[in-house]
């Protein structure tokens, strides 16, 4: 019956048995028989016939809507089936910590979708320990975390090393200094990452070791919000080097300043996934793209 519905839809769309027969490569008598056969199966008349002119009945309009739905569903099914036959990635669930979401994920997603434009990504966010649990429990196929771990049943691949940098507006007084030390941060108006986050704990530990008491003006958990505020309120911030891409600095009137003690804040961003061989085609493809993107860059 579904083939007959396609034939019926073609007649409706061409408004003529003659034009539809040419498009379907069927003789007009054969086409007429198919329409009559469909009407017999349904037990209703689909057209009112006025000589050569056809006009849809009310049930004919209902049948045409159904025929379009069936055509769309069949098209989606055949497209999905084709992807599986070709081994093309479909759906992968990626877990990422908030910091990875803002620093590592955007260029990675761009690279992955450029190579596999029909793939689907589902993102789960959380703190590092939550992402580790999500991958271990199979809720996420792959995880991106801003730390190196040793967890039974998981493989952990180091992607790159990161560290904090001091970021200020290009008009900030510190930008005129030839050499900066941690002492320059004492009583310095700053925006810090929100309490409870890894970057805030890292910053607080650093300040405590160096005996620094900054003037905390704001606490925000968004890198983007921080960089937007820096030129406006003329304060400083400590942000991960991986987030400070040239286009962000140059386009936002910001500068990244080096302080030797900040090298102590180095941390490794890693890719994690189960090592039991259960990765789907989609997940394996994302792992491959991630390794190509970051490990190749590291070897340069």
């Amino acid at each position: 019956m579904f083939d007959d519905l396609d034939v019926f839809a073609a007649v409706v769309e061409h408004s003529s048995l003659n034009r539809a027969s040419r498009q379907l490569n069927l003789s007009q008598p054969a086409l007429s028989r198919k329409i009559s056969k469909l009407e017999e199966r349904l037990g209703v008349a689909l057209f009112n016939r006025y000589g050569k002119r056809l006009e849809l009945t009310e049930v004919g309009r209902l049948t045409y809507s159904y025929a379009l739905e069936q055509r769309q569903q069949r098209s989606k099914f055949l497209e999905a089936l084709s992807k599986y036959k070709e081994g093309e990635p479909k759906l992968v669930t990626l877990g990422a910590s908030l910091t990875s979401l803002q620093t590592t994920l955007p260029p990675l997603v761009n690279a992955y979708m450029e190579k596999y434009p029909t793939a689907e990504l589902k993102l789960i966010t959380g703190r590092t320990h939550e992402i580790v649990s999500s991958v271990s429990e199979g809720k996420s196929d792959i995880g991106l975390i801003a730390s190196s771990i040793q967890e039974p049943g998981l493989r952990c691949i180091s992607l790159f090393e990161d560290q904090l940098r001091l970021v200020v507006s290009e008009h900030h007084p510190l930008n005129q200094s030839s050499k900066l030390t941690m002492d320059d941060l004492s009583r310095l108006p700053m925006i810090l990452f929100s309490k409870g986050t890894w970057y805030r704990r890292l910053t607080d530990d650093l300040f405590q070791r160096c005996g620094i008491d900054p003037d905390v003006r704001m606490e925000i958990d968004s890198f983007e919000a921080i960089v937007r505020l820096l030129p406006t309120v003329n304060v400083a911030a400590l942000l991960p080097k991986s987030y400070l891409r040239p286009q962000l600095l140059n386009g936002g009137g910001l500068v990244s300043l080096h302080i030797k003690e900040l090298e102590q804040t180095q941390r490794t961003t890693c890719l994690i996934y189960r090592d039991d061989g259960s990765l789907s085609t989609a997940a394996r493809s994302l792992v491959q793209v991630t390794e190509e993107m970051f490990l190749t860059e590291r070897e340069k």
Side-chain angles (χ1 to χ4, degrees):
M1 185 176 83
F2 294 116
D3 287 341
D4 291 340
L5 282 172
D6 285 339
V7 169
F8 164 70
V11 172
V12 174
E13 289 159 1
H14 286 84
S15 303
S16 163
L17 283 171
N18 187 35
R19 288 193 293 270
S21 66
R22 289 199 300 269
Q23 192 264 336
L24 295 171
N25 197 27
L26 284 173
S27 66
Q28 190 167 327
L31 181 57
S32 296
R33 286 195 296 272
K34 283 184 174 291
I35 296 298
S36 297
K37 181 179 178 182
L38 179 61
E39 289 178 319
E40 289 176 8
R41 284 186 175 182
L42 296 176
V44 294
L46 299 175
F47 293 103
N48 289 319
R49 294 163 173 82
Y50 304 98
K52 293 184 178 181
R53 186 168 66 87
L54 299 176
E55 183 180 281
L56 278 174
T57 62
E58 184 175 349
V59 73
R61 287 191 290 273
L62 177 65
T63 304
Y64 178 61
S65 295
Y66 177 72
L68 292 183
E69 291 176 5
Q70 291 299 313
R71 180 191 291 173
Q72 293 171 355
Q73 289 298 322
R74 183 164 62 249
S75 177
K76 291 179 181 178
F77 168 71
L78 293 175
E79 181 182 353
L81 185 62
S82 175
K83 291 174 183 176
Y84 279 107
K85 287 181 177 179
E86 295 169 3
E88 187 173 321
K90 184 59 179 172
L91 174 65
V92 57
T93 302
L94 173 64
S97 61
L98 180 60
T99 52
S100 298
L101 175 64
Q102 299 182 78
T103 58
T104 311
L105 203 58
L108 174 58
V109 170
N110 287 340
Y112 181 63
M113 298 308 294
E114 183 176 340
K115 189 169 184 178
Y116 301 105
T118 60
E120 297 178 15
L121 279 175
K122 178 182 178 182
L123 181 64
I124 296 177
T125 60
R127 300 185 188 277
T128 295
H129 72 276
E130 294 171 334
I131 298 304
V132 173
S133 297
S134 179
V135 175
S136 296
E137 296 168 4
K139 297 176 182 177
S140 298
D141 299 308
I142 298 169
L144 275 176
I145 56 175
S147 63
S148 182
I149 64 165
Q150 290 185 339
E151 187 80 12
L154 294 183
R155 185 176 181 189
C156 181
I157 301 175
S158 299
L159 299 179
F160 62 90
E161 302 293 338
D162 206 0
Q163 61 183 243
L164 294 178
R165 297 292 295 262
L166 180 66
V167 182
V168 297
S169 164
E170 59 187 4
H171 303 297
H172 194 283
L174 287 184
N175 192 31
Q176 309 304 318
S177 302
S178 58
K179 184 177 181 180
L180 295 173
T181 68
M182 288 298 294
D183 291 337
D184 292 301
L185 304 188
S186 187
R187 304 310 304 163
L188 179 69
M190 298 187 72
I191 300 177
L192 298 185
F193 223 59
S194 300
K195 291 180 179 178
T197 60
W198 177 84
Y199 274 106
R200 180 57 184 271
R201 291 195 298 272
L202 180 67
T203 303
D204 288 345
D205 289 345
L206 178 67
F207 287 156
Q208 185 176 11
R209 289 198 308 271
C210 297
I212 302 301
D213 183 22
D215 178 7
V216 181
R217 298 293 178 90
M218 301 180 190
E219 297 175 321
I220 302 175
D221 62 359
S222 166
F223 293 145
E224 182 179 356
I226 291 174
V227 297
R228 287 180 178 273
L229 285 168
L230 287 179
T232 305
V233 295
N234 200 30
V235 296
L238 294 176
L239 297 174
K241 184 180 178 181
S242 60
Y243 184 69
L244 303 174
R245 301 179 185 90
Q247 59 268 32
L248 175 68
L249 296 173
N250 299 336
L254 303 176
V255 291
S256 172
L257 304 177
H258 179 261
I259 298 178
K260 185 171 179 57
E261 290 89 341
L262 291 181
E263 295 175 2
Q264 302 172 21
T265 62
Q266 186 163 290
R267 195 180 198 191
T268 306
T269 291
C270 296
L271 176 75
I272 60 172
Y273 57 88
R274 294 184 302 281
D275 62 2
D276 58 3
S278 62
L279 280 181
S280 65
T281 299
R284 286 196 301 272
S285 298
L286 182 55
V287 169
Q288 181 181 8
V289 170
T290 305
E291 291 179 331
E292 289 174 352
M293 179 175 176
F294 291 103
L295 300 187
T296 301
E297 182 67 25
R298 193 170 67 183
E299 293 170 358
K300 290 182 179 178

